Amino acid sequence: MGTVPSALKHCLSYQHLLKEQLWIAEPPAAAHPAQEPQASGLPEYIKIVEVGPRDGLQNEKVIVPTDIKIELINQLSKTGLPAIEVTSFVSSKWVPQMADHKEVMRGIERHPGVQYPVLTPNLQGFHSAIAAGATEVSVFGAASESFCKMNINCSIEESIEKFEEVTKSARNMNIPVRGYVSCALGCPYEGNVIPDKVAEVSKRLYSMGCYEISLGDTIGVGTPGSMKKMLEAVMKEIPLSALAVHCHDTYGQALANILTAIQMGVAVVDSSVAGLGGCPYAKGATGNVATEDVIYMLNGLGINTGVNLYAVMEAGNFICKSLNKETNSKVAQASFSTGAI
Amino acid sequence: ATGGYPKRVKVVEVGPRDGLQNEKNVVPTPVKINLINMLSETGLQVIEATSFVSPKWVPQMADHTEVMQGINKLPGISYPVLTPNLKGFQAAVAAGAKEVSIFGAASELFTKKNINCSIEESLERFEEVMKAAREASIPVRGYVSCVLGCPYEGKISAAKVAEVSKKMYSMGCYEISLGDTIGVGTPGSMKEMLAVVMKEVPVGALAVHCHDTYGQALANILVALQMGVSVVDASVAGLGGCPYAQGASGNVATEDLVYMLNGLGIHTGVDLQKLMDTGTFICNALNRRTNSKVSQASCRL
């Protein structure tokens, strides 16, 4: 804007700028999950669920060595993130990136106060996960029949039956289960997804014992308009405190969608360090929203997350170097590009 | 209140000026003209065409007269141009401009570094332009830079933004475009700033010009819409990097903005497909990838 010839030389370094700005500063100590709304109507605290090591890496082309995965998770454990999705106990035939699930689970440092959930698509995966030391698991439903069929070759109803086996065993062992609902705002095969369908599947997962339901905009087509409609339908069936949003940034809408969700009281947000993980349905397009960009926004809103933005940026820098790729986080791009951090 | 949105939003396309101005490669005049002509077919009502500034400062805009005279000016579409001073204003009018823009800032240091004077002095210079514009019945749009942060001063007080906006509005600018010049703003700071500015300038005369350098643009725009702002600036393909953070992005992409507004049921009159085609054209011409995620996603399987 305006004429800016040689301004770059005279700038404050970005590091200086960031440290001066209240919204980037270190978060207040002792984050506690207080859910009462601020004067602004927004939650005071938001739990960030870091899905980079699983959802992120799963959708990266390059296979990452086990020790790099472990190092990434260990670095993330030191950032203040309360939950880090570690790996997936799925057949390595389907998801080669997650073939080292046992080694990763056993190899990571387990920091007190941090949850390390893993994906378990069926009872076999669940048992394997427990044997490897998992203390929390996740199951993946979908709000679209076509997506379910294409992904796991069965109907939604059949997939729910499989998950019930998992939640039953999990209950017996006091293992918490998180439920995901994919295609909450659109499906790559069916297109539009009806909010009531999302509510129905969410309710099934919640009723069978999932403590939290993460609503996923799997192909990132959602907008604040569709997010609002979908949440209104789901909130009739599931208490707000049990809801999370998992937004993909494929159409650049993620932060606007997350903002809409938190304005409606949602207080759990999934994200991926450095925005790891492309979209398997749109070649070359982005996928997960970047944790750094989410935290930047939440800091600016005065919402506590307990997470140190700088530490996440460093973990992001580490994994991008290892993957030999550029970060998908705009905050990281803006901060590292001047060599400031 | 959250949930209430304007029914219509006017999208002000700044790609050919703000966008190209911050692109490294100098774009040949015929390509600029074709870009603007293509944009004119998308349904956009306002397309910022060029800047009547000295080519010594902004070589990309050296062909301002040729561009102004070369474009198809469709009825119903406004083609504002930047005019930093009276000389630029006169050259713009001679070249056929029917609307101009002037640039203020909410930061003293930014103003000093940019145009080597104080905010007060810059407004005095603009008074000359305002006077001439009034006499020629030419509408003037006012921009305020650094409304959510300054690369030199850091934090900017909302009161200062309101003060500068009020002055420019009182001088006769029909609209004030509030610019998050380095993209550091968040929905928190946007809300706070607008609440203060709206006490001094009617919301119907306000626009937001958000940069996406920290990925916050659409979220910031969403909050602005919730507060009643109904004019939003954007740049096709997200043209224009940030001069303060090498390699970082700048303007928010018009395609991504229109996608969001469509999803909210807000009328813009813009044809998203034609807009994407225009973005593809200029990116090919610039030999660069688009910054629009909607565009990137649409090259699907």
Side-chain angles (χ1 to χ4, degrees):
Chain A
M1 296 173 63
T3 55
V4 192
S6 56
L8 185 54
K9 296 204 276 292
H10 308 285
C11 244
L12 292 177
S13 74
Y14 259 91
Q15 193 172 25
H16 179 96
L17 180 71
L18 293 181
K19 282 187 156 39
E20 295 267 287
Q21 305 314 309
L22 297 173
W23 55 83
I24 308 278
E26 302 278 340
H32 55 276
Q35 302 282 344
E36 294 95 31
Q38 306 173 341
S40 62
L42 300 173
E44 278 188 4
Y45 171 80
I46 285 186
K47 177 175 99 174
I48 305 256
V49 175
E50 171 59 48
V51 301
R54 202 280 311 164
D55 193 0
L57 291 185
Q58 184 166 311
N59 286 301
E60 289 288 333
K61 283 193 288 292
V62 176
I63 299 282
V64 176
T66 307
D67 58 337
I68 304 270
K69 286 186 179 116
I70 290 172
E71 175 60 26
L72 171 64
I73 294 165
N74 289 346
Q75 285 195 26
L76 290 169
S77 287
K78 298 186 180 121
T79 62
L81 283 162
I84 301 165
E85 201 174 61
V86 169
T87 186
S88 181
F89 281 78
V90 69
S91 159
S92 48
K93 188 175 54 167
W94 293 123
V95 188
Q97 180 78 275
M98 300 286 125
D100 55 1
H101 39 66
K102 289 202 191 86
E103 292 87 336
V104 172
M105 198 69 219
R106 294 203 187 109
I108 56 171
E109 291 165 11
R110 307 279 282 258
H111 289 232
V114 184
Q115 300 287 78
Y116 298 94
V118 299
L119 247 72
T120 53
N122 48 40
L123 197 56
Q124 188 193 1
F126 175 77
H127 288 313
S128 188
I130 299 302
T135 49
E136 181 176 325
V137 302
S138 312
V139 296
F140 257 79
S144 152
E145 288 287 359
S146 310
F147 187 84
C148 214
K149 183 109 190 101
M150 295 298 262
N151 247 27
I152 51 178
N153 201 24
C154 64
S155 69
I156 295 180
E157 191 58 44
E158 286 162 340
S159 74
I160 299 269
E161 283 162 23
K162 282 188 202 168
F163 300 144
E164 257 165 343
E165 297 183 328
V166 174
T167 55
K168 199 154 164 253
S169 287
R171 207 175 313 136
N172 289 342
M173 303 180 68
N174 275 336
I175 299 272
V177 182
R178 189 187 211 224
Y180 282 90
V181 180
S182 302
C183 298
L185 297 178
C187 170
Y189 309 103
E190 286 181 13
N192 245 357
V193 172
I194 311 169
D196 282 345
K197 189 72 185 171
V198 182
E200 182 196 317
V201 176
S202 303
K203 186 175 184 179
R204 296 295 299 277
L205 289 173
Y206 187 66
S207 309
M208 73 169 75
C210 293
Y211 76 92
E212 194 168 87
I213 307 296
S214 175
L215 304 162
D217 182 11
T218 305
I219 47 171
V221 287
T223 62
S226 56
M227 171 64 84
K228 182 164 196 250
K229 287 200 183 94
M230 183 275 293
L231 282 176
E232 277 166 354
V234 175
M235 277 160 60
K236 289 189 189 136
E237 307 291 346
I238 314 265
L240 199 45
S241 56
L243 289 179
V245 288
H246 182 113
C247 296
H248 278 200
D249 202 38
T250 318
Y251 288 76
Q253 308 294 305
L255 285 189
N257 293 344
I258 289 167
L259 181 63
T260 301
I262 69 183
Q263 284 177 342
M264 291 175 76
V266 171
V268 184
V269 177
D270 299 359
S271 60
S272 175
V273 62
L276 289 179
C279 179
Y281 303 96
K283 204 166 100 143
T286 56
N288 286 297
V289 68
T291 305
E292 298 92 317
D293 299 0
V294 173
I295 291 175
Y296 186 97
M297 180 174 81
L298 297 180
N299 282 354
L301 282 162
I303 294 173
N304 200 2
T305 61
V307 182
N308 181 323
L309 177 55
Y310 295 115
V312 177
M313 284 202 276
E314 272 164 28
N317 196 32
F318 162 75
I319 191 61
C320 287
K321 285 206 162 77
S322 309
L323 281 165
N324 193 27
K325 66 165 274 184
E326 292 227 37
T327 181
N328 273 336
S329 155
K330 286 210 162 168
V331 171
Q333 264 173 44
S335 308
F336 283 104
S337 59
T338 55
I341 305 275
Chain B
T2 62
Y5 290 101
K7 289 199 163 53
R8 322 177 76 90
V9 162
K10 180 173 86 174
V11 176
V12 174
E13 172 59 45
V14 300
R17 204 281 309 163
D18 192 0
L20 291 185
Q21 184 168 308
N22 287 300
E23 289 287 328
K24 281 193 292 291
N25 302 331
V26 175
V27 175
T29 308
V31 172
K32 286 189 180 110
I33 290 173
N34 196 30
L35 169 64
I36 296 168
N37 288 345
M38 284 183 79
L39 289 168
S40 291
E41 302 287 336
T42 61
L44 284 161
Q45 294 172 276
V46 186
I47 302 164
E48 202 173 58
T50 186
S51 181
F52 281 78
V53 70
S54 160
K56 187 175 54 164
W57 292 123
V58 188
Q60 180 76 276
M61 300 285 125
D63 54 2
H64 40 66
T65 304
E66 294 89 330
V67 169
M68 201 63 211
Q69 290 174 339
I71 56 175
N72 293 339
K73 296 206 188 91
L74 268 58
I77 301 182
S78 192
Y79 299 91
V81 299
L82 247 69
T83 53
N85 48 40
L86 189 59
K87 184 167 158 218
F89 175 80
Q90 286 159 346
V93 173
K98 298 269 186 293
E99 181 178 327
V100 302
S101 311
I102 58 172
F103 260 81
S107 156
E108 287 288 358
L109 222 47
F110 185 85
T111 306
K112 181 114 190 94
K113 298 278 190 195
N114 250 22
I115 52 178
N116 201 21
C117 64
S118 71
I119 295 179
E120 188 63 44
E121 287 163 342
S122 77
L123 293 177
E124 279 164 26
R125 283 184 205 174
F126 292 140
E127 189 54 65
E128 297 185 320
V129 175
M130 298 306 305
K131 191 154 171 264
R134 218 173 301 139
E135 278 159 20
S137 287
I138 300 249
V140 181
R141 187 187 211 227
Y143 281 92
V144 181
S145 303
C146 297
V147 301
L148 297 178
C150 169
Y152 308 103
E153 286 186 15
K155 201 161 161 56
I156 294 290
S157 83
K160 190 71 184 173
V161 180
E163 183 195 319
V164 176
S165 304
K166 183 180 185 172
K167 284 214 174 91
M168 293 179 79
Y169 185 66
S170 311
M171 279 163 62
C173 293
Y174 76 92
E175 194 169 86
I176 305 295
S177 175
L178 305 163
D180 181 13
T181 306
I182 46 173
V184 287
T186 64
S189 56
M190 172 64 87
K191 187 170 190 217
E192 192 194 308
M193 182 274 294
L194 281 176
V196 176
V197 173
M198 278 161 60
K199 292 192 184 132
E200 307 292 344
V201 181
V203 72
L206 291 177
V208 289
H209 183 115
C210 297
H211 279 199
D212 203 37
T213 318
Y214 288 78
Q216 308 294 305
L218 285 187
N220 292 345
I221 289 166
L222 191 69
V223 162
L225 295 173
Q226 289 173 349
M227 294 183 74
V229 172
S230 62
V231 184
V232 182
D233 301 358
S235 174
V236 62
L239 291 180
C242 180
Y244 303 97
Q246 208 190 36
S249 60
N251 286 298
V252 68
T254 314
E255 299 92 315
D256 299 359
L257 169 67
V258 170
Y259 185 94
M260 181 173 83
L261 297 176
N262 284 352
L264 281 161
I266 294 174
H267 182 261
T268 61
V270 179
D271 181 324
L272 182 53
Q273 186 57 56
K274 287 191 178 148
L275 188 60
M276 288 200 280
D277 293 342
T278 308
T280 302
F281 160 75
I282 191 62
C283 287
N284 285 342
L286 281 165
N287 193 28
R288 60 159 281 176
R289 289 193 67 193
T290 182
N291 269 340
S292 156
K293 289 211 162 166
V294 169
S295 226
Q296 273 172 40
S298 305
C299 325
R300 66 169 75 243
L301 44 71

